[in-house]
Amino acid sequence: MAKRAASLWLAFISCMQFLFIWRPLPAIAAGVPTLKEMIVRPNSRELIGSADSANEGTVLKQQLDLRTVYRPGELLEAVPGLVVTQHSGEGKANQYFLRGFNLDHGTDLRITVDGMLVNQRSHGHGQGWTDTNFIIPELISSIQYLKGPYYAAQGDFSSAGAASLGYVNTLPKGIASYGLGEQGFMRGLAAKSHKAGGGNILYALELLTKDGPWIKHEDFKKFNAVLRYSQDSGPTKFNVTAMGYGGKWNSTDQIPLRAVASGLIPRLGAIDPSDGGKSHRFSLSGALEHAGRFGKTQLNVYTLHTNLALFSNFTYFLDDPVNGDQFSQFDKRFQSAMNLNHAWVNKIGGFEVENTVGVQFQNDIIDNGLLSTRQRRTLSTTRKDHINQNSIGIYYQNSIQWLEKFRSVAGVRSDFYWFDVSSNLGANSGSRYDSMTNPKLSLIFGPWQQTEFYFNYGGGFHSNDARGTTSTVDPKSGDPIQPVSPLVRSTGYEVGVRTGILPGLQASLALFRLDIASELLFVGDAGTTEATRPSKREGFEASLFYKPNDWLTVDVDYALARARFSDSDPAGDHIPGAIRGVGKLAVTVDNAGPFFGNLQARYFGKRPLIEDNSVQSGHIVTLNGQVGYKIGKNVRMSLQGFNLLNTHAHTIDYYYTSRLPGEPAAGVSDVHFHPVESRSLRVNWIANF
């Protein structure tokens, strides 16, 4: 069926190529059609004519370097409409919110760093686990973002959007940085690049420690190291990169509202102070790009090893009144992948067509499990699994300028998945196979007065946890359960506009709808994600980037979404945790003498916490900022402030049943929250050499 669908779609594309008349672009060199070179810039005038939607864009290094971020994952908040937060210890993957989704740790937001997929499928804590603690912010060259399932090159986890973070090959000068701050914060970084053997060697080392504001200190310690060799000239460019990360921490997880109200624990306290974890990540990757008379070929290959041991207790004494409900989720994996694509231009029926064809392969060999623990000591084994998961994605996309003011981008993508699970409980072992084909289509009209209009349609998907596709028995209760579908389809529609009508302005507006066949939700009393009901989201996003002169930048965005389950259920149709409104404002001053600085305000709207919407979270407004002084050309100093309003709001809220000592055996249903970190200051010294 998948092959037939792909064949029909390719035939449709071929037919469409002969239905319109177009004035060919002068993209001929030595009689051979060539690809147009696209240089991404933060100026809407450069995006006009090259962007395929109103929701895509690029955040450049100059913008990222001046952002004030509490943790490295918050760099992604430069993406309009995206909120990045945390509901546990610093070493844990962030929590992501976008387009009406509570994406937990990354269920439908595809994130890559230097070409490597960060989302981890069939993860011990939850599907799509996306831990960005290995990122060194000073090495990020740009963030390229896309939203919606409209792009053929984007596969698993990309229904809500995709963000690609690139690393630099060279640094203009070496960096020696030292930061010191409240809440036990200390960070050191050394990074430099050198010419070597016709190319460049880049190396970096980061050390960080932080306690946070919590009664039980996080004692978060991590290291990051990067070593890279690259050659970036001539028709063939390549790089080879090794990365290493390690971290360990204590967690203050979400706590019940009633425990704080009764005085049992303070707002920054914990019910189980032994929660926490440790993890490491080591990777080796390579990328190659070759431009020749027959087009451009890009190859990316990588292998990585990750290990996580996570200790959590969300229900306290509900299941085990004697030992408590702490559990450990561990995940150890080797992941290998290859991404290959080739782009070329040819003429069909008098039309010049830009084509891209690609193949993506990934293999994950995983050992993970769930243990009952007490103060991080194992009491019993709930489940252990060995997983071998393979996937192949193939895609084709073309771009045609049919008329002077009309072009199209059309494509098709097919994905094939193989799951093999060997569980300690035989009834949950087995093998599954699934495949899916999705069409993509974008129509672009304009520009008129530096303004372009877009219509986008596409199908996408996310994969489910391999264990869920083969399990027939609940490993904890012994009750029979139904396996879930391996691949879950999503369908998106969008109309949008982008304008650069004023010098220095980039503004866009997008109206979207996304239907998904099965929602992935975080289950508070299990500490994992679970496939649930089908859902629908409708909303809009507006963003404005304005740089009126060399020293001032204003960046503002707002998004509003309506998220509902699309089936009928007496429980209700609201999606727990689904975000409604998000707003951000960033004002940056630079190149205005020796002083520089920025101020970032963020609004994070209310969310329903149960299906009938009778319990809701509050909203939150936070303010971060920094002011700095350049001491000559090579030394600067900055003072950063976080949560400057010292708000006592919540970064995350859940509603479920838990039990504190002395409460009824059935437990109490309550809001469980993680507070915003209290106000803190950091001083940073940065020297270039």
Side-chain angles (χ1 to χ4, degrees):
M1 181 64 72
K3 292 181 179 179
R4 182 182 179 188
S7 299
L8 290 173
W9 182 244
L10 287 171
F12 169 75
I13 293 172
S14 298
C15 292
M16 288 290 290
Q17 291 169 345
F18 292 94
L19 294 181
F20 296 90
I21 299 174
W22 169 67
R23 187 182 304 161
L25 293 172
I28 307 294
V32 180
T34 59
L35 289 169
K36 292 175 290 184
E37 187 73 17
M38 186 180 77
I39 303 174
V40 288
R41 305 181 192 276
N43 187 322
S44 188
R45 293 172 181 267
E46 300 295 338
L47 290 170
I48 298 294
S50 61
D52 299 335
S53 73
N55 68 57
E56 68 177 270
T58 300
V59 186
L60 298 183
K61 182 173 176 58
Q62 299 95 302
Q63 299 165 256
L64 296 172
D65 285 345
L66 289 172
R67 292 191 71 86
T68 307
V69 295
Y70 189 80
R71 49 184 67 92
E74 290 180 3
L75 281 174
L76 288 161
E77 288 197 345
V79 175
L82 176 60
V83 166
V84 181
T85 185
Q86 180 59 272
H87 77 98
S88 189
E90 283 302 309
K92 197 173 180 181
N94 292 123
Q95 194 98 2
Y96 304 92
F97 293 83
L98 178 70
R99 290 206 158 186
F101 280 91
N102 174 358
L103 295 158
D104 193 44
H105 298 295
T107 54
D108 287 278
L109 174 64
R110 182 181 178 91
I111 296 176
T112 59
V113 173
D114 216 35
M116 297 179 285
L117 179 64
V118 186
N119 307 69
Q120 294 191 341
R121 50 200 195 182
S122 304
H123 189 269
H125 181 69
Q127 183 70 343
W129 172 270
T130 308
D131 182 2
T132 56
N133 279 294
F134 69 94
I135 291 174
I136 299 178
E138 288 85 349
L139 299 187
I140 298 297
S141 61
S142 66
I143 300 176
Q144 297 187 25
Y145 60 87
L146 312 161
K147 299 174 198 168
Y150 318 124
Y151 309 95
Q154 305 299 325
D156 202 357
F157 305 118
S158 63
S159 293
S164 174
L165 290 78
Y167 262 27
V168 297
N169 285 330
T170 61
L171 292 167
K173 292 183 179 180
I175 302 172
S177 175
Y178 179 72
L180 195 63
E182 295 180 287
Q183 303 174 1
F185 175 83
M186 186 167 58
R187 177 182 185 256
L189 170 71
K192 192 170 177 58
S193 60
H194 297 278
K195 293 283 186 182
N200 296 278
I201 289 180
L202 170 72
Y203 57 85
L205 176 65
E206 177 194 33
L207 300 174
L208 181 146
T209 181
K210 181 166 57 175
D211 289 331
W214 319 109
I215 304 300
K216 171 68 174 181
H217 285 175
E218 285 183 317
D219 195 24
F220 178 45
K221 292 180 172 63
K222 78 168 183 178
F223 77 87
N224 272 315
V226 173
L227 180 63
R228 183 184 191 111
Y229 180 76
S230 63
Q231 289 190 6
D232 200 24
S233 61
T236 302
K237 305 173 184 179
F238 72 91
N239 63 63
V240 179
T241 308
M243 299 185 188
Y245 157 76
K248 64 176 183 177
W249 64 95
N250 300 316
S251 295
T252 296
D253 288 320
Q254 63 255 27
I255 53 177
L257 195 60
R258 65 187 186 277
V260 178
S262 67
L264 178 65
I265 60 171
R267 190 179 67 91
L268 299 175
I271 300 295
D272 190 340
S274 66
D275 290 351
K278 58 182 179 179
S279 67
H280 66 244
R281 179 190 187 277
F282 299 99
S283 67
L284 180 65
S285 63
L288 181 144
E289 179 182 292
H290 176 74
R293 60 175 300 187
F294 298 110
K296 181 182 291 185
T297 301
Q298 294 176 315
L299 173 66
N300 165 246
V301 294
Y302 65 89
T303 184
L304 62 86
H305 168 63
T306 63
N307 196 349
L308 171 73
L310 190 64
F311 298 88
S312 309
N313 188 346
F314 300 135
T315 54
Y316 319 122
F317 295 93
L318 181 65
D319 296 328
D320 189 337
V322 176
N323 296 301
D325 298 348
Q326 189 185 73
F327 56 89
S328 172
Q329 295 161 310
F330 67 87
D331 188 280
K332 184 184 299 183
R333 71 180 58 213
F334 288 91
Q335 178 179 319
S336 301
M338 179 195 74
N339 304 302
L340 175 66
N341 69 75
H342 180 69
W344 75 100
V345 176
N346 66 339
K347 285 190 174 182
I348 302 177
F351 296 99
E352 191 172 87
V353 183
E354 288 190 14
N355 306 272
T356 303
V357 62
V359 59
Q360 299 168 343
F361 167 77
Q362 183 176 327
N363 166 255
D364 292 90
I365 299 175
I366 310 162
D367 286 290
N368 59 25
L370 178 63
L371 311 174
S372 293
T373 58
R374 179 179 182 178
Q375 296 183 353
R376 304 196 188 189
R377 289 192 291 270
T378 301
L379 300 176
S380 62
T381 299
T382 303
R383 72 178 301 164
K384 284 187 177 181
D385 302 273
H386 177 78
I387 303 166
N388 190 349
Q389 186 167 338
N390 293 280
S391 66
I392 296 176
I394 57 174
Y395 63 90
Y396 168 75
Q397 179 174 289
N398 68 27
S399 177
I400 307 173
Q401 186 86 30
W402 301 103
L403 301 168
E404 183 181 359
K405 301 291 186 181
F406 171 58
R407 57 190 170 93
S408 69
V409 180
V412 62
R413 181 184 177 96
S414 292
D415 288 272
F416 309 88
Y417 274 66
W418 294 264
F419 305 82
D420 186 80
V421 179
S422 178
S423 179
N424 63 330
L425 187 61
N428 290 336
S429 300
S431 299
R432 292 287 299 272
Y433 164 78
D434 201 1
S435 64
M436 184 175 290
T437 294
N438 285 296
K440 321 278 184 175
L441 179 65
S442 297
L443 306 177
I444 302 97
F445 302 89
W448 293 277
Q449 299 297 315
Q450 289 297 321
T451 301
E452 210 163 42
F453 300 87
Y454 309 88
F455 168 79
N456 306 98
Y457 163 80
F461 76 101
H462 68 236
S463 63
N464 274 325
D465 192 306
R467 296 168 296 178
T469 69
T470 61
S471 291
T472 59
V473 175
D474 186 308
K476 197 165 188 177
S477 67
D479 297 331
I481 57 175
Q482 290 294 321
V484 300
S485 175
L487 304 182
V488 177
R489 188 182 301 276
S490 61
T491 305
Y493 313 84
E494 186 168 318
V495 293
V497 59
R498 181 193 305 275
T499 184
I501 195 168
L502 298 177
L505 174 72
Q506 172 183 334
S508 64
L509 172 68
L511 307 175
F512 66 87
R513 171 172 171 169
L514 181 67
D515 298 324
I516 193 162
S518 176
E519 187 84 8
L520 278 173
L521 290 181
F522 179 81
V523 182
D525 57 1
T528 188
T529 51
E530 194 173 90
T532 62
R533 300 156 57 188
S535 63
K536 174 179 68 176
R537 285 171 173 81
E538 298 170 320
F540 75 87
E541 291 178 333
S543 67
L544 182 146
F545 178 89
Y546 185 48
K547 191 173 180 62
N549 49 50
D550 289 338
W551 58 269
L552 177 64
T553 301
V554 179
D555 197 350
V556 59
D557 64 81
Y558 183 74
L560 187 66
R562 182 181 186 273
R564 296 290 187 271
F565 288 118
S566 53
D567 63 353
S568 179
D569 193 300
D573 63 355
H574 287 75
I575 302 173
I579 193 167
R580 296 176 185 171
V582 173
K584 289 176 290 181
L585 169 65
V587 179
T588 302
V589 174
D590 195 15
N591 301 317
F595 289 97
F596 63 92
N598 80 323
L599 201 62
Q600 298 162 209
R602 182 184 71 173
Y603 167 76
F604 185 20
K606 294 182 177 181
R607 287 94 57 205
L609 299 184
I610 57 177
E611 288 83 349
D612 65 6
N613 198 32
S614 60
V615 183
Q616 297 184 356
S617 74
H619 66 267
I620 174 176
V621 176
T622 58
L623 188 67
N624 295 343
Q626 69 171 318
V627 60
Y629 185 80
K630 300 174 183 176
I631 308 170
K633 293 184 178 180
N634 295 320
V635 180
R636 64 189 186 276
M637 179 179 176
S638 69
L639 174 65
Q640 296 181 324
F642 302 91
N643 189 13
L644 292 171
L645 302 176
N646 203 29
T647 177
H648 284 189
H650 306 164
T651 62
I652 193 71
D653 296 270
Y654 302 103
Y655 186 81
Y656 57 85
T657 301
S658 63
R659 180 177 182 268
L660 298 172
E663 291 184 334
V668 177
S669 296
D670 194 8
V671 172
H672 298 73
F673 72 96
H674 193 258
V676 177
E677 291 83 359
S678 55
R679 181 170 50 217
S680 63
L681 301 175
R682 300 175 186 172
V683 178
N684 299 284
W685 295 267
I686 304 100
N688 297 117
F689 61 96

